[in-house]
PDB file of all heavy atoms in Angstrom:
ATOM      1  N   GLU Z1209     117.898 121.161 112.789  1.00  0.00           N
ATOM      2  CA  GLU Z1209     118.486 120.696 114.044  1.00  0.00           C
ATOM      3  C   GLU Z1209     119.854 120.052 113.829  1.00  0.00           C
ATOM      4  O   GLU Z1209     120.651 119.961 114.743  1.00  0.00           O
ATOM      5  CB  GLU Z1209     117.527 119.692 114.703  1.00  0.00           C
ATOM      6  CG  GLU Z1209     117.885 119.328 116.132  1.00  0.00           C
ATOM      7  CD  GLU Z1209     116.803 118.503 116.796  1.00  0.00           C
ATOM      8  OE1 GLU Z1209     115.620 118.899 116.733  1.00  0.00           O
ATOM      9  OE2 GLU Z1209     117.143 117.458 117.384  1.00  0.00           O
ATOM     10  N   GLU Z1210     120.118 119.585 112.590  1.00  0.00           N
ATOM     11  CA  GLU Z1210     121.389 118.924 112.277  1.00  0.00           C
ATOM     12  C   GLU Z1210     122.322 119.820 111.466  1.00  0.00           C
ATOM     13  O   GLU Z1210     123.361 119.367 110.999  1.00  0.00           O
ATOM     14  CB  GLU Z1210     121.116 117.629 111.510  1.00  0.00           C
ATOM     15  CG  GLU Z1210     120.335 116.610 112.313  1.00  0.00           C
ATOM     16  CD  GLU Z1210     119.710 115.533 111.450  1.00  0.00           C
ATOM     17  OE1 GLU Z1210     118.582 115.748 110.978  1.00  0.00           O
ATOM     18  OE2 GLU Z1210     120.345 114.484 111.249  1.00  0.00           O
ATOM     19  N   THR Z1211     121.943 121.092 111.272  1.00  0.00           N
ATOM     20  CA  THR Z1211     122.742 122.025 110.479  1.00  0.00           C
ATOM     21  C   THR Z1211     123.700 122.797 111.374  1.00  0.00           C
ATOM     22  O   THR Z1211     123.312 123.284 112.435  1.00  0.00           O
ATOM     23  CB  THR Z1211     121.808 123.007 109.731  1.00  0.00           C
ATOM     24  OG1 THR Z1211     120.899 122.256 108.926  1.00  0.00           O
ATOM     25  CG2 THR Z1211     122.610 123.935 108.846  1.00  0.00           C
ATOM     26  N   LYS Z1212     124.944 122.919 110.933  1.00  0.00           N
ATOM     27  CA  LYS Z1212     125.982 123.553 111.762  1.00  0.00           C
ATOM     28  C   LYS Z1212     125.697 125.036 111.989  1.00  0.00           C
ATOM     29  O   LYS Z1212     125.857 125.552 113.095  1.00  0.00           O
ATOM     30  CB  LYS Z1212     127.349 123.377 111.088  1.00  0.00           C
ATOM     31  CG  LYS Z1212     127.844 121.929 111.082  1.00  0.00           C
ATOM     32  CD  LYS Z1212     129.208 121.818 110.419  1.00  0.00           C
ATOM     33  CE  LYS Z1212     129.717 120.380 110.452  1.00  0.00           C
ATOM     34  NZ  LYS Z1212     131.038 120.237 109.768  1.00  0.00           N
ATOM     35  N   ASN Z1213     125.297 125.756 110.923  1.00  0.00           N
ATOM     36  CA  ASN Z1213     125.046 127.190 111.031  1.00  0.00           C
ATOM     37  C   ASN Z1213     123.717 127.514 110.346  1.00  0.00           C
ATOM     38  O   ASN Z1213     123.691 127.954 109.190  1.00  0.00           O
ATOM     39  CB  ASN Z1213     126.193 127.975 110.379  1.00  0.00           C
ATOM     40  CG  ASN Z1213     126.073 129.472 110.601  1.00  0.00           C
ATOM     41  OD1 ASN Z1213     125.069 129.959 111.130  1.00  0.00           O
ATOM     42  ND2 ASN Z1213     127.079 130.215 110.194  1.00  0.00           N
ATOM     43  N   PRO Z1214     122.575 127.276 111.029  1.00  0.00           N
ATOM     44  CA  PRO Z1214     121.264 127.416 110.374  1.00  0.00           C
ATOM     45  C   PRO Z1214     121.010 128.789 109.754  1.00  0.00           C
ATOM     46  O   PRO Z1214     120.426 128.888 108.682  1.00  0.00           O
ATOM     47  CB  PRO Z1214     120.276 127.134 111.508  1.00  0.00           C
ATOM     48  CG  PRO Z1214     121.052 126.337 112.506  1.00  0.00           C
ATOM     49  CD  PRO Z1214     122.461 126.840 112.421  1.00  0.00           C
ATOM     50  N   SER Z1215     121.455 129.863 110.410  1.00  0.00           N
ATOM     51  CA  SER Z1215     121.148 131.205 109.923  1.00  0.00           C
ATOM     52  C   SER Z1215     121.803 131.497 108.577  1.00  0.00           C
ATOM     53  O   SER Z1215     121.305 132.307 107.800  1.00  0.00           O
ATOM     54  CB  SER Z1215     121.584 132.249 110.950  1.00  0.00           C
ATOM     55  OG  SER Z1215     122.973 132.197 111.161  1.00  0.00           O
ATOM     56  N   ARG Z1216     122.908 130.854 108.276  1.00  0.00           N
ATOM     57  CA  ARG Z1216     123.568 131.039 106.981  1.00  0.00           C
ATOM     58  C   ARG Z1216     123.243 129.910 106.017  1.00  0.00           C
ATOM     59  O   ARG Z1216     122.937 130.129 104.837  1.00  0.00           O
ATOM     60  CB  ARG Z1216     125.085 131.108 107.176  1.00  0.00           C
ATOM     61  CG  ARG Z1216     125.862 131.321 105.869  1.00  0.00           C
ATOM     62  CD  ARG Z1216     127.331 130.934 106.024  1.00  0.00           C
ATOM     63  NE  ARG Z1216     127.467 129.510 106.288  1.00  0.00           N
ATOM     64  CZ  ARG Z1216     128.638 128.907 106.546  1.00  0.00           C
ATOM     65  NH1 ARG Z1216     129.732 129.630 106.627  1.00  0.00           N
ATOM     66  NH2 ARG Z1216     128.686 127.601 106.764  1.00  0.00           N
ATOM     67  N   ASP Z1217     123.307 128.668 106.505  1.00  0.00           N
ATOM     68  CA  ASP Z1217     123.236 127.507 105.621  1.00  0.00           C
ATOM     69  C   ASP Z1217     121.836 127.276 105.053  1.00  0.00           C
ATOM     70  O   ASP Z1217     121.696 126.879 103.892  1.00  0.00           O
ATOM     71  CB  ASP Z1217     123.692 126.250 106.379  1.00  0.00           C
ATOM     72  CG  ASP Z1217     125.158 126.321 106.786  1.00  0.00           C
ATOM     73  OD1 ASP Z1217     125.876 127.148 106.192  1.00  0.00           O
ATOM     74  OD2 ASP Z1217     125.571 125.560 107.678  1.00  0.00           O
ATOM     75  N   ILE Z1218     120.790 127.513 105.853  1.00  0.00           N
ATOM     76  CA  ILE Z1218     119.436 127.219 105.378  1.00  0.00           C
ATOM     77  C   ILE Z1218     119.000 128.161 104.251  1.00  0.00           C
ATOM     78  O   ILE Z1218     118.485 127.697 103.223  1.00  0.00           O
ATOM     79  CB  ILE Z1218     118.442 127.231 106.550  1.00  0.00           C
ATOM     80  CG1 ILE Z1218     118.721 126.030 107.463  1.00  0.00           C
ATOM     81  CG2 ILE Z1218     117.008 127.169 106.048  1.00  0.00           C
ATOM     82  CD1 ILE Z1218     117.904 126.015 108.717  1.00  0.00           C
TER      83      ILE Z1218
END
Side-chain angles (χ1 to χ4, degrees):
E1209 191 172 310
E1210 297 163 272
T1211 303
K1212 291 181 178 178
N1213 187 353
S1215 62
R1216 181 199 65 184
D1217 295 342
I1218 291 174

